Amino acid sequence: MNDYNHPAARYYQEVSEQCIHYLSIDGVIFGFHQNQLKVLLLRWKGTNEWSLPGGFIRKIESVDLAAQRIMQERTGLDALYLQQFHVFGEAERYNQEETWGKINLPLQNVNWSARTISIGYYALVEYSRVVPAPDFLTEECRWWNVEAIPALLFDHNHIIQVALQSLRKQLNDQPISHLLPETFTIPELQRLYETILGSTLDARNFYKKIMASDRLERLSERRAGTPHKAPFLYRFKSDNFTTE
């Protein structure tokens, strides 16, 4: 039965009127915590179905501003580092009937397009600063380890894989300082690289490369509470860190 007064139906009708049709934004928000690369996911109301944060572009805003707005609403952060990484425009991205059935929304009479092209953005954020917040259609927003992401709605597993591949390819050109607290040790920085790349790095070679980049500043403080000799703390001299 169709429910025109259902909040979700009213919401999608407003989106249909106020936003650009056929075009959406999907966001992959990366964080790093306890030596794990994490992604922020949303659980839809009344289900155990998860998806990436996303939204639509208002007719009065640019694509980049729409991406900032959508990501800010989920993280609570005022300023985010965002990178547009891919456009997902396959003719059949996923089974729409099956997907909408899983989230049980009354959209039969909503004026909505049969096909939507999505612009993918990824964000690099400092885990401890994020305050995860669900959106209108979801009731939970939380971090998942990249290695343990469940089967997601839409084509969002594929989007995460493409985002991760893009981050790996551009790793030396990305300000990965956004993923770390202000101060960190060289082993912690190496672990971040290893987690993103999915491979183990030689500690001695990594240290030489990092120090040769002249992008780090060693502090006088050491990391307290470690089982071995306390390592020195470092911080980035700038956000434009590269190991090349």
Side-chain angles (χ1 to χ4, degrees):
M1 185 175 73
N2 301 322
D3 185 356
Y4 295 98
N5 294 318
H6 192 285
R10 294 200 305 271
Y11 167 77
Y12 272 96
Q13 192 61 52
E14 291 175 2
V15 168
S16 179
E17 295 169 357
Q18 299 174 11
C19 297
I20 300 172
H21 282 212
Y22 315 111
L23 195 62
S24 67
I25 287 173
D26 285 309
V28 183
I29 302 172
F30 287 116
F32 185 67
H33 182 61
Q34 295 181 341
N35 290 331
Q36 296 278 352
L37 187 65
K38 296 179 179 289
V39 173
L40 205 60
L41 297 178
L42 295 165
R43 183 171 60 80
W44 288 64
K45 288 182 177 178
T47 77
N48 196 33
E49 302 291 341
W50 295 81
S51 71
L52 289 168
F56 301 97
I57 304 162
R58 295 168 182 162
K59 296 176 181 178
I60 60 172
E61 67 184 347
S62 71
V63 174
D64 286 342
L65 285 179
Q68 283 281 346
R69 170 180 56 80
I70 291 165
M71 305 286 210
Q72 287 172 356
E73 290 171 350
R74 304 287 70 78
T75 63
L77 300 179
D78 293 332
L80 291 165
Y81 173 78
L82 295 181
Q83 178 69 46
Q84 186 183 125
F85 66 93
H86 193 73
V87 175
F88 298 89
E90 292 84 353
E92 294 184 11
R93 293 173 53 196
Y94 55 88
N95 186 316
Q96 290 199 27
E97 182 177 356
E98 177 184 349
T99 299
W100 291 117
K102 289 180 179 179
I103 53 183
N104 194 30
L105 293 180
L107 301 176
Q108 294 90 337
N109 286 292
V110 174
N111 180 23
W112 199 248
S113 60
R115 177 184 177 189
T116 300
I117 295 170
S118 179
I119 303 173
Y121 282 79
Y122 66 72
L124 306 180
V125 302
E126 208 278 285
Y127 178 92
S128 66
R129 296 180 58 227
V130 173
V131 181
D135 63 15
F136 180 78
L137 298 173
T138 60
E139 58 188 357
E140 184 179 3
C141 181
R142 68 177 171 92
W143 294 102
W144 285 74
N145 292 341
V146 166
E147 298 86 356
I149 292 173
L152 303 179
L153 293 169
F154 314 107
D155 55 349
H156 288 183
N157 290 92
H158 173 60
I159 290 177
I160 291 174
Q161 288 303 311
V162 176
L164 188 55
Q165 291 169 7
S166 177
L167 177 59
R168 287 170 176 167
K169 290 178 182 178
Q170 303 178 44
L171 185 55
N172 288 329
D173 299 319
Q174 299 301 303
I176 62 169
S177 57
H178 289 287
L179 289 167
L180 291 165
E182 183 178 357
T183 62
F184 50 86
T185 67
I186 295 297
E188 289 167 350
L189 180 61
Q190 178 177 337
R191 178 55 183 160
L192 172 58
Y193 267 80
E194 291 176 335
T195 304
I196 292 173
L197 295 171
S199 60
T200 302
L201 302 175
D202 179 80
R204 183 175 299 180
N205 289 338
F206 181 81
Y207 178 80
K208 288 180 179 179
K209 223 177 186 184
I210 292 297
M211 301 316 296
S213 71
D214 194 33
R215 296 286 182 159
L216 296 183
E217 175 186 358
R218 194 177 85 170
L219 308 179
S220 59
E221 298 94 335
R222 293 174 179 264
R223 171 72 75 216
T226 56
H228 306 292
K229 183 179 179 180
F232 281 103
L233 292 172
Y234 291 77
R235 64 185 173 196
F236 288 104
K237 294 180 180 178
S238 72
D239 284 342
N240 298 316
F241 174 75
T242 175
T243 59
E244 294 185 343

